Amino acid sequence: MTTRTFRIMVRGAFDALTPEQHAELTAAAAEHDVLKAQFTDEGHLTYDLSARPFFTFRFLEYGEAEEDVVAASVRAETAAELWLTDRGYGYKNLKSQAQDMSLAAVGARGKQEARRKS
């Protein structure tokens, strides 16, 4: 069987942050800028508290069948919850969205590479 790669985004909102927590997150905002967003195994967090209280974690997960995306989404949500809870950050409205990359449409660059290889 081939390994499938899943891109999972877990979104939510910070809730009831203390002034200290808000300051801590604001101080670290540069490393969590959406322009630096990437999908990683451990999850990459992005937010912009100066604009809104929302955040997104981006995870890479893996499975062997299309059905594995459900378990991968649960793992990603759990990892996001643990990260937030371990740091004492309140949150609400966690939702995940997953994409099986083996089913993703091939873009123009991918089509060009496929033509070159054939």
Side-chain angles (χ1 to χ4, degrees):
M1 281 199 120
T2 60
T3 300
R4 293 172 178 253
T5 301
F6 307 121
R7 284 184 171 183
I8 302 170
M9 294 195 315
V10 179
R11 293 187 168 110
F14 291 110
D15 188 41
L17 294 175
T18 66
E20 294 80 16
Q21 290 172 324
H22 195 279
E24 182 179 299
L25 288 167
T26 301
E31 67 187 80
H32 299 285
D33 189 289
V34 70
L35 296 176
K36 297 179 181 178
Q38 55 187 320
F39 288 88
T40 65
D41 291 347
E42 60 278 349
H44 185 259
L45 172 65
T46 58
Y47 58 83
D48 182 0
L49 283 180
S50 65
R52 58 190 68 82
F54 304 115
F55 59 81
T56 302
F57 282 90
R58 289 171 175 81
F59 291 92
L60 280 179
E61 284 281 345
Y62 307 94
E64 293 183 1
E66 191 173 342
E67 304 81 44
D68 293 340
V69 73
V70 175
S73 295
V74 169
R75 286 191 303 272
E77 284 185 28
T78 301
E81 288 175 348
L82 284 172
W83 191 94
L84 294 161
T85 302
D86 286 350
R87 288 156 181 81
Y89 298 138
Y91 62 91
K92 61 184 179 181
N93 303 327
L94 276 188
K95 295 178 183 171
S96 62
Q97 179 182 5
Q99 181 179 19
D100 182 341
M101 297 310 292
S102 69
L103 302 176
V106 177
R109 186 178 299 163
K111 289 177 187 175
Q112 283 177 339
E113 286 186 34
R115 274 188 234 122
R116 270 186 261 155
K117 290 180 181 177
S118 57

